[in-house]
Amino acid sequence: MLEVSGLTKVFGGLTAVKDLTFTLQRGEILSIIGPNGAGKSTCFKLISSFMVPTSGTVRFNGQDITGIGPHAVARKGIVRTFQENTAFQDMTVREAVLLGYQKDCKASLAGMILRSPQARRDDREAGAHADRVLDLLGMSSHAGTLAAGLPHGLLRNLGIAVALAARPQLILLDEPFAGLNSDETKRGVELIRKIRDEGITPILVEHDMAAVMSVSERIVVVNFGSKIAEGTPAEIQRNDKVIEAYLGSEDEEIGL
Ligand SMILES: Nc1ncnc2c1ncn2[C@@H]1O[C@H](COP(=O)(O)OP(=O)(O)O)[C@@H](O)[C@H]1O
Ligand SMILES: [Mg+2]
């Protein structure tokens, strides 16, 4: 589904992502891990075309999508979530999710203004889809809540809901469990599996090693922008290069 090949991003004198190559099969749960500053978020920005790589390519469903821009990438079926979603503060949860769906409407602008049958069908479809997404995330009871009033864990879920509303094939989740307590993280892991079972392929960047090891089917480890290991959670936990990379950094542990 996704083929990242020789991906490189240089910022001035710093190579944030260096000759990174990996592939992803549809329906598999892949995580990218590595110490702080390893280049994980930059990798996501390159895949989602929020940044143009210095060199290398990103192919999606066999098509070269390198640097085509975030909107074009979203239309192809790749979405990403953001660390903070302050953009939805003034909306209710359901309104924010409906916004995520808009991209896909079939009615013309004139049709929307004149309330054509197609526009009314679109509204009903959008509403039904928004309600399904909220149900999937266990957020139906918060549909009418203002996003600004949500606790941190639910605000993170809302970011995922808005991304899912666009009906992507691939969703890039950058630290979905950051700031969540252990119960919320467990529900988060379940949610990742549900998303995959809905036919949407998730890729995670995540620091919570227990969660990563339990949810991932395959893990790519990066350090200083380069891939240092790739394998199943069991393989990664006993990989010498990985242990060394994590022991070398102060604020992380791999939970061995
Ligand atoms: N826009 C940017 N301009 C300059 N340097 C950047 C930029 N974005 C990230 N970096 C640097 O690139 C490196 C990788 O950053 P990042 O991809 O955010 O790492 P990670 O997500 O793995 O913590 C870091 O050293 C960071 O400071
Ligand atoms: Mg990051």
Side-chain angles (χ1 to χ4, degrees), residues 208-220:
D208 183 325
M209 281 306 144
V212 164
M213 294 301 162
S214 93
V215 78
S216 312
E217 290 159 350
R218 199 153 54 86
I219 297 173
V220 167

PDB file of all heavy atoms in Angstrom, residues 208-220:
ATOM      1  N   ASP A 208       4.936   5.382  24.094  1.00  0.00           N
ATOM      2  CA  ASP A 208       4.532   4.437  25.137  1.00  0.00           C
ATOM      3  C   ASP A 208       4.865   3.021  24.661  1.00  0.00           C
ATOM      4  O   ASP A 208       4.159   2.426  23.852  1.00  0.00           O
ATOM      5  CB  ASP A 208       3.022   4.591  25.384  1.00  0.00           C
ATOM      6  CG  ASP A 208       2.531   3.691  26.502  1.00  0.00           C
ATOM      7  OD1 ASP A 208       3.048   2.566  26.649  1.00  0.00           O
ATOM      8  OD2 ASP A 208       1.614   4.112  27.226  1.00  0.00           O
ATOM      9  N   MET A 209       5.987   2.496  25.181  1.00  0.00           N
ATOM     10  CA  MET A 209       6.511   1.233  24.655  1.00  0.00           C
ATOM     11  C   MET A 209       5.585   0.054  24.926  1.00  0.00           C
ATOM     12  O   MET A 209       5.466  -0.837  24.100  1.00  0.00           O
ATOM     13  CB  MET A 209       7.898   0.947  25.245  1.00  0.00           C
ATOM     14  CG  MET A 209       8.964   1.750  24.568  1.00  0.00           C
ATOM     15  SD  MET A 209       8.916   1.487  22.769  1.00  0.00           S
ATOM     16  CE  MET A 209       9.358   3.122  22.255  1.00  0.00           C
ATOM     17  N   ALA A 210       4.940   0.033  26.099  1.00  0.00           N
ATOM     18  CA  ALA A 210       4.035  -1.078  26.386  1.00  0.00           C
ATOM     19  C   ALA A 210       2.912  -1.095  25.343  1.00  0.00           C
ATOM     20  O   ALA A 210       2.571  -2.153  24.797  1.00  0.00           O
ATOM     21  CB  ALA A 210       3.468  -0.938  27.796  1.00  0.00           C
ATOM     22  N   ALA A 211       2.376   0.084  25.038  1.00  0.00           N
ATOM     23  CA  ALA A 211       1.298   0.176  24.047  1.00  0.00           C
ATOM     24  C   ALA A 211       1.807  -0.214  22.662  1.00  0.00           C
ATOM     25  O   ALA A 211       1.153  -0.973  21.935  1.00  0.00           O
ATOM     26  CB  ALA A 211       0.721   1.594  24.026  1.00  0.00           C
ATOM     27  N   VAL A 212       2.985   0.282  22.302  1.00  0.00           N
ATOM     28  CA  VAL A 212       3.560  -0.030  20.980  1.00  0.00           C
ATOM     29  C   VAL A 212       3.744  -1.538  20.829  1.00  0.00           C
ATOM     30  O   VAL A 212       3.383  -2.134  19.816  1.00  0.00           O
ATOM     31  CB  VAL A 212       4.920   0.694  20.789  1.00  0.00           C
ATOM     32  CG1 VAL A 212       5.711   0.083  19.627  1.00  0.00           C
ATOM     33  CG2 VAL A 212       4.703   2.185  20.550  1.00  0.00           C
ATOM     34  N   MET A 213       4.325  -2.157  21.879  1.00  0.00           N
ATOM     35  CA  MET A 213       4.607  -3.591  21.789  1.00  0.00           C
ATOM     36  C   MET A 213       3.314  -4.394  21.716  1.00  0.00           C
ATOM     37  O   MET A 213       3.263  -5.440  21.093  1.00  0.00           O
ATOM     38  CB  MET A 213       5.457  -4.046  22.996  1.00  0.00           C
ATOM     39  CG  MET A 213       6.859  -3.433  23.017  1.00  0.00           C
ATOM     40  SD  MET A 213       7.812  -3.855  21.533  1.00  0.00           S
ATOM     41  CE  MET A 213       9.109  -2.604  21.582  1.00  0.00           C
ATOM     42  N   SER A 214       2.246  -3.918  22.347  1.00  0.00           N
ATOM     43  CA  SER A 214       1.016  -4.707  22.335  1.00  0.00           C
ATOM     44  C   SER A 214       0.217  -4.516  21.046  1.00  0.00           C
ATOM     45  O   SER A 214      -0.418  -5.447  20.574  1.00  0.00           O
ATOM     46  CB  SER A 214       0.179  -4.424  23.583  1.00  0.00           C
ATOM     47  OG  SER A 214      -0.752  -3.408  23.341  1.00  0.00           O
ATOM     48  N   VAL A 215       0.271  -3.341  20.437  1.00  0.00           N
ATOM     49  CA  VAL A 215      -0.614  -3.092  19.289  1.00  0.00           C
ATOM     50  C   VAL A 215       0.052  -3.354  17.934  1.00  0.00           C
ATOM     51  O   VAL A 215      -0.628  -3.693  16.958  1.00  0.00           O
ATOM     52  CB  VAL A 215      -1.202  -1.659  19.336  1.00  0.00           C
ATOM     53  CG1 VAL A 215      -0.211  -0.612  18.876  1.00  0.00           C
ATOM     54  CG2 VAL A 215      -2.491  -1.561  18.525  1.00  0.00           C
ATOM     55  N   SER A 216       1.392  -3.240  17.867  1.00  0.00           N
ATOM     56  CA  SER A 216       2.057  -3.279  16.559  1.00  0.00           C
ATOM     57  C   SER A 216       2.250  -4.705  16.061  1.00  0.00           C
ATOM     58  O   SER A 216       2.538  -5.610  16.836  1.00  0.00           O
ATOM     59  CB  SER A 216       3.450  -2.633  16.643  1.00  0.00           C
ATOM     60  OG  SER A 216       3.385  -1.405  17.298  1.00  0.00           O
ATOM     61  N   GLU A 217       2.124  -4.863  14.768  1.00  0.00           N
ATOM     62  CA  GLU A 217       2.491  -6.138  14.149  1.00  0.00           C
ATOM     63  C   GLU A 217       3.927  -6.072  13.633  1.00  0.00           C
ATOM     64  O   GLU A 217       4.621  -7.073  13.565  1.00  0.00           O
ATOM     65  CB  GLU A 217       1.517  -6.464  13.023  1.00  0.00           C
ATOM     66  CG  GLU A 217       0.145  -6.819  13.595  1.00  0.00           C
ATOM     67  CD  GLU A 217      -0.996  -6.673  12.616  1.00  0.00           C
ATOM     68  OE1 GLU A 217      -0.796  -6.120  11.523  1.00  0.00           O
ATOM     69  OE2 GLU A 217      -2.096  -7.089  12.963  1.00  0.00           O
ATOM     70  N   ARG A 218       4.347  -4.868  13.281  1.00  0.00           N
ATOM     71  CA  ARG A 218       5.718  -4.662  12.829  1.00  0.00           C
ATOM     72  C   ARG A 218       6.162  -3.289  13.326  1.00  0.00           C
ATOM     73  O   ARG A 218       5.347  -2.379  13.467  1.00  0.00           O
ATOM     74  CB  ARG A 218       5.782  -4.717  11.297  1.00  0.00           C
ATOM     75  CG  ARG A 218       7.166  -4.958  10.723  1.00  0.00           C
ATOM     76  CD  ARG A 218       7.038  -5.638   9.349  1.00  0.00           C
ATOM     77  NE  ARG A 218       6.168  -4.878   8.477  1.00  0.00           N
ATOM     78  CZ  ARG A 218       6.589  -3.853   7.716  1.00  0.00           C
ATOM     79  NH1 ARG A 218       7.853  -3.480   7.724  1.00  0.00           N
ATOM     80  NH2 ARG A 218       5.740  -3.209   6.945  1.00  0.00           N
ATOM     81  N   ILE A 219       7.464  -3.183  13.588  1.00  0.00           N
ATOM     82  CA  ILE A 219       8.003  -1.925  14.116  1.00  0.00           C
ATOM     83  C   ILE A 219       9.226  -1.532  13.298  1.00  0.00           C
ATOM     84  O   ILE A 219      10.062  -2.384  12.962  1.00  0.00           O
ATOM     85  CB  ILE A 219       8.396  -2.085  15.609  1.00  0.00           C
ATOM     86  CG1 ILE A 219       7.156  -2.413  16.454  1.00  0.00           C
ATOM     87  CG2 ILE A 219       9.090  -0.839  16.134  1.00  0.00           C
ATOM     88  CD1 ILE A 219       7.461  -2.750  17.913  1.00  0.00           C
ATOM     89  N   VAL A 220       9.299  -0.243  12.947  1.00  0.00           N
ATOM     90  CA  VAL A 220      10.489   0.320  12.307  1.00  0.00           C
ATOM     91  C   VAL A 220      11.130   1.241  13.351  1.00  0.00           C
ATOM     92  O   VAL A 220      10.449   2.088  13.922  1.00  0.00           O
ATOM     93  CB  VAL A 220      10.099   1.119  11.042  1.00  0.00           C
ATOM     94  CG1 VAL A 220      11.264   1.971  10.544  1.00  0.00           C
ATOM     95  CG2 VAL A 220       9.608   0.170   9.945  1.00  0.00           C
TER      96      VAL A 220
END
